[in-house]
Amino acid sequence: GAVVSQHPSRVICKSGTSVKIECRSLDFQATTMFWYRQFPKKSLMLMATSNEGSKATYEQGVEKDKFLINHASLTLSTLTVTSAHPEDSSFYICSARDDRSGQSSYNEQFFGPGTRLTVL
Amino acid sequence: AQSVTQPDIHITVSEGASLELRCNYSYGATPYLFWYVQSPGQGLQLLLKYFSGDTLVQGIKGFEAEFKRSQSSFNLRKPSVHWSDAAEYFCAVGAGNQFYFGTGTSLTVIP
């Protein structure tokens, strides 16, 4: 149980185009999802917290107009990288919190397999 | 503020040798602690987690970790390392609505 998928797993695009990454909780509902970015040989950096039915909360320094997040249902959050540039190339990982979790596991997040974005 | 420290950026061990990866955290309340492993180009795989109870936690792939409140530590151990254990290891603390990750420890296993 508690499986999170991401699509696509890998995407290559031209500079100036927009790219959408999907994050789905496959066997549970997730009111809250998270988007992380990971640079090579670095740790995960939280970009934003995605809340179903409301606006995402972005971390300091993350451009909300650049990284559009939509959490339209309890099982799907999308991250759109708008007008992508080579510096946006990175590994993007989403995670989700199971709404059914009791207090003991409230702080657990289930991670997707990641999406490798390369902007040429 | 919450923080997670993994003092060792890179560790090299011989196959069959024992392993200990260090993790220290700073958090005011009872922490929820996790260890993840990441192979190159892959996502995170949960090795083990600690919420409460027995401070020695068993995980997958023969890993275990011990929570020591007095030392604010949650070190990961394995008695005999296999070549397939070579990867990046992340310690994390779940606090409130967020996760705080350590900077990771890269493990190299030599034959």
Side-chain angles (χ1 to χ4, degrees):
Chain A
V3 179
V4 176
S5 70
Q6 280 185 243
H7 179 79
S9 59
R10 185 181 298 268
V11 57
I12 301 173
C13 69
K14 294 181 178 180
S15 184
T17 61
S18 294
V19 175
K20 179 184 287 187
I21 302 170
E22 293 184 348
C23 177
R24 293 182 185 272
S25 56
L26 298 185
D27 50 1
F28 65 97
Q29 292 184 330
T31 301
T32 305
M33 292 185 175
F34 305 85
W35 287 95
Y36 295 84
R37 181 173 181 176
Q38 186 180 30
F39 293 98
K41 301 202 181 291
K42 296 292 185 183
S43 188
L44 281 72
M45 179 191 77
L46 179 65
M47 299 175 65
T49 302
S50 170
N51 300 293
E52 187 269 338
S54 64
K55 292 183 178 181
T57 302
Y58 290 83
E59 295 300 301
Q60 190 172 5
V62 178
E63 300 175 60
K64 57 183 66 177
D65 295 330
K66 174 74 165 177
F67 300 99
L68 299 179
I69 292 173
N70 184 28
H71 194 152
S73 78
L74 289 173
T75 59
L76 173 65
S77 175
T78 60
L79 170 68
T80 301
V81 183
T82 62
S83 186
H85 290 282
E87 57 266 30
D88 299 323
S89 298
S90 194
F91 194 56
Y92 293 88
I93 300 176
C94 74
S95 69
R97 179 183 295 144
D98 190 339
D99 287 351
R100 299 168 302 177
S101 297
Q103 186 61 40
S104 64
S105 56
Y106 179 71
N107 283 300
E108 183 167 10
Q109 296 179 18
F110 301 96
F111 289 84
T115 297
R116 171 73 59 193
L117 170 63
T118 302
V119 184
L120 302 176
Chain B
Q2 295 82 2
S3 67
V4 180
T5 302
Q6 292 180 247
D8 305 304
I9 296 174
H10 187 227
I11 284 182
T12 299
V13 298
S14 299
E15 191 169 15
S18 63
L19 171 71
E20 182 170 33
L21 302 182
R22 296 182 292 166
C23 173
N24 293 95
Y25 66 90
S26 174
Y27 183 55
T30 301
Y32 296 85
L33 299 162
F34 306 83
W35 273 101
Y36 292 89
V37 60
Q38 185 181 35
S39 297
Q42 302 297 312
L44 300 178
Q45 181 180 24
L46 177 67
L47 287 175
L48 46 79
K49 60 188 177 186
Y50 172 79
F51 292 150
S52 65
D54 193 345
T55 56
L56 184 62
V57 181
Q58 301 298 319
I60 62 171
K61 303 185 178 186
F63 286 93
E64 66 177 26
E66 186 171 12
F67 169 59
K68 292 186 177 180
R69 185 186 299 275
S70 62
Q71 299 178 20
S72 297
S73 69
F74 189 56
N75 294 346
L76 182 71
R77 300 193 294 251
K78 187 170 184 177
S80 178
V81 171
H82 189 262
W83 64 266
S84 61
D85 293 324
E88 190 81 19
Y89 291 79
F90 293 99
C91 179
V93 170
N97 195 39
Q98 295 201 9
F99 255 42
Y100 298 89
F101 283 92
T103 50
T105 297
S106 177
L107 175 66
T108 298
V109 181
I110 56 177

